[in-house]
Each structure stands twice: as structure tokens, then as C-alpha cells.
Amino acid sequence: QVQLVESGGGLVQAGGSLRLSCAASGRADSHYSEGWFRQAPGKEREIVAGISWSGTRLYYADSVKGRFTISRDNASRDSAKNTVYLQMNSLKPEDTAVYFCAAATDRDPWAVPVDGDKYEYWGQGTQVTVSS
């Protein structure tokens, strides 16, 4: 079982920056691709960014390309213990949402699932509010 805990959300003015962190811990016998999703009130959940378990492939939604960066800091050779970051720059009011990190068991080192249903593990979410 993988546990995910997000932090770093908050209130920021448009044009500002935030860095979200997702601390992962748990079983060490699998590899995980990881993603950041968001859900705004009245809207469906959408993927924002993802990283393959090998770290060799990244995915970004068109709406955040050039502004957001996903990265991973492996605390050890155990890929289930790491921290995934989402650096968010040039924030816009439309970025306001609850942001969730998620992990998907994956054997393909280049896979980055974009469908949230592919992810088995989810964090509790962190609120990001961008004021205009």
C-alpha cells in the first residue's frame, strides 16, 4: 500500500508561484508512475502533469505547459519512497482548484497514464487559490 501526502498549497496572487510536494511511502516491490491532478468546483478532475517511474518521460496538460514543472526526488533506491514536486509559475485564476497527487503501478518505464482511473493511490488533496 502506498501512502501519499500533499503539501504546499495556499493563496497566491496571479502571476505568483507555488511548489506542491507529494511525499510517498509504502511498499517497495513495485514501480510507480506519478501524476498531479486538479479539480475545480463544478468541473471534472483533470490531469495536470505526470512522470513515468523511470523519470524519463514527462506529461503536461496544454493549459500548464511552460508554466508548471513536475519532478521527483528519490529518497532512496526504493521507488515507493520519494517526493514528487509540482513547481507552478505564472499562476492564473483558472488554476484555482484542489490539487491531488496520485500513483499508478507500472511496469512500463516510459508510461505516463493520463486517465485518473489508471491510478490506484491518491493523496488527500491540497487547495490552491489564485486571486486576480
Side-chain angles (χ1 to χ4, degrees):
Q1 190 77 6
V2 175
Q3 293 80 44
L4 304 173
V5 179
E6 302 103 332
S7 60
L11 173 64
V12 64
Q13 288 188 332
S17 298
L18 283 173
R19 189 175 81 156
L20 305 183
S21 300
C22 175
S25 61
R27 203 169 57 191
D29 56 356
S30 297
H31 294 290
Y32 302 91
S33 53
E34 288 155 305
W36 284 97
F37 291 75
R38 68 186 181 188
Q39 187 166 22
K43 294 188 177 181
E44 292 189 355
R45 181 182 63 195
E46 62 175 351
I47 187 167
V48 175
I51 183 168
S52 62
W53 70 252
S54 65
T56 55
R57 182 161 291 179
L58 307 177
Y59 170 87
Y60 295 99
D62 288 342
S63 58
V64 306
K65 281 181 182 176
R67 300 189 297 123
F68 290 11
T69 303
I70 188 171
S71 61
R72 176 193 287 134
D73 175 19
N74 287 351
S76 69
R77 294 177 63 184
D78 175 357
S79 65
K81 296 180 181 179
N82 60 37
T83 301
V84 179
Y85 302 97
L86 185 67
Q87 177 67 44
M88 305 185 296
N89 298 327
S90 302
L91 283 161
K92 305 175 181 180
E94 50 264 43
D95 295 317
T96 295
V98 178
Y99 284 70
F100 300 88
C101 68
T105 306
D106 226 312
R107 295 176 178 168
D108 183 345
W110 295 278
V112 183
V114 297
D115 181 352
D117 291 341
K118 302 287 186 183
Y119 290 80
E120 304 119 281
Y121 307 103
W122 292 82
Q124 80 287 354
T126 186
Q127 177 70 47
V128 172
T129 303
V130 184
S131 62
S132 57

